[in-house]
Amino acid sequence: MIGQELRCRECSRLFPLEALAVCDFCFGPLEVVYDYEAISALDLTARIENGPRSIWRYRDLLPVQDDDPVDLGAGFTPLVKAVRLGRELGLDDLWIKNDTLNPTGSFKDRVVSVALTAARHLGFKVAACASTGNLANSVAAHAAHIGMDSVVFIPKDLETPKILGTAIYGGNVVAIDGNYDDVNRLCTELAAEMPDWAFVNVNIRTYYAEGSKTLAFEIAEQLGWKAPDHVVVPIASGSQLTKVHKGFGELHKVGLIGEKHVKISGAQAAGCSPVATAFQDGTDFIRPVKPDTIAKSLAIGNPADGWYALEVVKNTGGSIEAVSDDEILEGIELLASTEGIFAETAGGVTIATLRKLAARGAFEPGEQVVALVTGHGLKTLDCLSGRVSVSTVIDPSLESFRKSIQAGEIVFSNPPDTR
Amino acid sequence: MPVSIRIPTQLRSLTANESEITVSANTVGEALRELDQSHPGIGERIFDETGKVRRFVNVFLSDEDVRFLGGLETPVTDGQVISIVPAVAGG
């Protein structure tokens, strides 16, 4: 491991590189300390470019090195130039990081691949997590891949595809009669009772969270080793946003990109917007909320890294918006119909926020903007029933089809004579 | 009145490894201060210099975050359980 020790983000106390997530003294989060000087001395560009087409090409900047990591192929997802969506929103250099194309359909594969690789090194026997769904999918899949037992904890009202898409991997799925914050509290207490269980986002969260840095690494590499001007990131716990910011900073520290001020903006659902509310109120106190939104994967009312996410957004000159359930659904439809990318509700939150920010002039003309779309639409299909359907139902005859055209049931956005 | 406080692993070195301590108090805040009296050192771990609960400490009364109740002023009734839980988890 190039990571040397763990340091408390709050009180700076140092700890050995073990299965610790929380400072023993003040309960602050622990961060891996890297030797950036040693990392800079490596031929990083070649090591990365010759590496696997997954997050493990960046292993020198991850907290655990392993020649045979727990890897289903997470990461190195497409960065898509979004010309049509950009035109719609008035942004001339817009990109979508399409993280729907991960092995289990969300960015969680990045963090789980790192977490379970670390868990194996640290000697854990069971993979576990508190999840709003995507993490459960990913933990169950990666555990199955290495034959590790898994026990995932979810709120019982999750979307059916997320429940079935977890259970199919054969591990244990424990549904809790409560919301995510209840599940999380239970898992925090359980982690203390189950010393050989790796709750990826609880007792090995320090390692797990580092996986999200790979989003920044990939974006920079895919843009030709440079950082974009502005990134829009959904906020649940706030960890991803914080780590994306850290990722760009590290690339500069080790000499892979020049110094660049990257603005980071956050996206929340109005039905669960503790960080957006603190941003709008200008306070640094994140008041917990009881979530009520269709964006269940973002429904964390008491976000662990909310404070840090708020700090990053403020320090970089970004912004945070909250969007309604209707706006989320419109966001999903807009992204799909302009770019051919089908996002789950969290992606709808990002796109709706992007739209809101663009409408109020939050982006400078010519700014290169990257929006993170972090989960696949097939995971939250239910929310679309009644909104989209077949265009028409006809008999299998030419006559029926002609009638349908005449009746205007088949709709073209480009008139036929211009095609 | 008697209430029990569930102690997180991080603080058990101060409670001789006990995971639950019973104190006598009328509010959540009183209970936590009482805990500090009987187990010196706990106070500085859960309260910051200004006497507020640290940013990364969550306090629950009967499984409800006290910030949804009356904070440290929340009254406690006989036999209720207070939990001190690290906030850095999840997501």
Side-chain angles (χ1 to χ4, degrees):
Chain A
M1 296 199 184
I2 291 193
Q4 293 180 312
E5 54 194 343
L6 304 175
R7 181 166 51 215
C8 174
R9 233 183 127 155
E10 290 287 292
C11 72
S12 297
R13 278 178 173 75
L14 293 171
F15 298 87
L17 208 58
E18 289 169 4
L20 296 166
V22 169
C23 173
D24 260 356
F25 184 78
C26 75
F27 296 80
L30 300 183
E31 288 269 327
V32 180
V33 179
Y34 295 90
D35 183 350
Y36 291 114
E37 213 171 304
I39 298 171
S40 312
L42 301 169
D43 184 2
L44 281 176
T45 316
R47 288 170 69 90
I48 291 169
E49 290 174 359
N50 297 329
R53 294 179 63 82
S54 77
I55 59 165
W56 293 100
R57 65 203 277 107
Y58 309 106
R59 57 184 257 165
D60 293 326
L61 288 162
L62 292 175
V64 54
Q65 273 84 47
D66 191 320
D67 289 332
D68 184 23
V70 181
D71 185 17
L72 285 172
F76 221 66
T77 56
L79 181 68
V80 179
K81 170 109 185 167
V83 176
R84 296 193 67 237
L85 177 60
R87 202 177 293 147
E88 196 73 33
L89 303 181
L91 300 174
D92 50 22
D93 197 6
L94 175 65
W95 301 72
I96 301 293
K97 182 61 173 164
N98 184 4
D99 238 24
T100 70
L101 293 177
N102 274 303
T104 72
S106 87
F107 90 100
K108 288 293 187 185
D109 292 324
R110 299 174 181 275
V111 283
V112 170
S113 180
V114 173
L116 290 191
T117 302
R120 206 167 51 178
H121 274 267
L122 294 164
F124 287 99
K125 302 288 182 246
V126 175
C129 66
S131 176
T132 58
N134 287 325
L135 181 57
N137 289 174
S138 186
V139 166
H142 283 83
H145 186 63
I146 56 167
M148 198 181 211
D149 281 315
S150 65
V151 187
V152 303
F153 296 82
I154 55 171
K156 70 167 189 193
D157 71 343
L158 279 192
E159 301 93 342
T160 306
K162 284 187 180 159
I163 296 175
L164 301 184
T166 302
I168 190 65
Y169 298 110
N172 301 283
V173 183
V174 181
I176 305 290
D177 190 6
N179 64 26
Y180 175 76
D181 297 293
D182 298 323
V183 177
N184 201 24
R185 183 183 57 77
L186 172 67
C187 287
T188 306
E189 294 190 277
L190 268 177
E193 312 295 326
M194 307 289 190
D196 60 358
W197 290 27
F199 284 84
V200 296
N201 54 345
V202 182
N203 52 347
I204 53 168
R205 192 173 193 269
T206 305
Y207 301 92
Y208 157 93
E210 288 285 285
S212 284
K213 294 189 307 190
T214 59
L215 279 159
F217 299 161
E218 286 174 23
I219 291 167
E221 184 179 357
Q222 287 165 323
L223 290 173
W225 289 119
K226 74 181 201 48
D229 298 309
H230 204 140
V231 183
V232 181
V233 187
I235 300 177
S237 74
S239 169
Q240 184 186 49
L241 184 145
T242 312
K243 294 294 181 175
V244 165
H245 176 250
K246 182 180 179 187
F248 288 122
E250 282 188 339
L251 291 183
H252 172 59
K253 254 182 219 167
V254 301
L256 280 168
I257 61 173
E259 183 155 26
K260 175 82 180 266
H261 179 85
V262 184
K263 289 185 205 161
I264 312 277
S265 286
Q268 290 209 295
C272 181
S273 57
V275 188
T277 302
F279 181 79
Q280 270 136 31
D281 293 349
T283 65
D284 60 7
F285 170 64
I286 313 262
R287 181 176 291 281
V289 300
K290 305 267 187 194
D292 179 16
T293 169
I294 57 167
K296 292 181 184 171
S297 58
L298 301 181
I300 299 182
N302 188 6
D305 283 304
W307 193 87
Y308 292 128
L310 183 63
E311 189 182 53
V312 165
V313 170
K314 282 201 265 193
N315 289 347
T316 63
S319 191
I320 308 180
E321 281 290 348
V323 292
S324 70
D325 283 356
D326 272 343
E327 290 171 311
I328 294 168
L329 295 170
E330 286 166 18
I332 294 173
E333 290 164 354
L334 182 63
L335 178 66
S337 61
T338 55
E339 295 300 335
I341 296 171
F342 184 21
E344 67 145 305
T345 44
V349 170
T350 299
I351 300 303
T353 295
L354 184 72
R355 176 152 92 169
K356 222 166 178 176
L357 290 172
R360 69 164 167 78
F363 303 109
E364 318 264 337
E367 245 186 11
Q368 186 172 57
V369 180
V370 176
L372 302 193
V373 171
T374 53
H376 201 287
L378 291 174
K379 289 169 175 259
T380 57
L381 265 185
D382 286 1
C383 72
L384 296 174
S385 58
R387 288 187 75 96
V388 286
S389 187
V390 295
S391 303
T392 182
V393 179
I394 60 169
D395 295 328
S397 71
L398 280 174
E399 195 194 351
S400 295
F401 185 69
R402 283 198 199 100
K403 271 190 191 155
S404 178
I405 294 228
Q406 279 159 9
E409 290 169 348
I410 310 278
V411 181
F412 301 98
S413 50
N414 304 306
D417 56 355
T418 65
R419 282 203 294 271
Chain B
M1 55 199 69
V3 286
S4 48
I5 304 179
R6 302 199 54 189
I7 309 294
T9 44
Q10 288 82 359
L11 296 179
R12 288 185 196 166
S13 60
L14 298 170
T15 61
N17 250 346
E18 288 295 322
S19 59
E20 205 158 309
I21 301 286
T22 301
V23 298
S24 180
N26 294 311
T27 66
V28 172
E30 247 181 66
L32 295 178
R33 283 186 290 272
E34 189 60 35
L35 177 68
D36 182 45
Q37 287 290 312
S38 58
H39 298 83
I42 285 195
E44 64 165 349
R45 309 280 288 276
I46 56 179
F47 297 111
D48 66 15
E49 299 72 23
T50 66
K52 283 191 298 201
V53 174
R54 285 187 184 275
R55 196 193 290 162
F56 291 102
V57 175
N58 286 336
V59 178
F60 296 86
L61 176 66
S62 295
D63 295 338
E64 181 69 293
D65 190 324
V66 297
R67 286 170 295 190
F68 289 121
L69 306 169
L72 292 180
E73 307 310 316
T74 310
V76 293
T77 55
D78 197 353
Q80 277 190 307
V81 177
I82 295 171
S83 306
I84 302 168
V85 181
V88 179

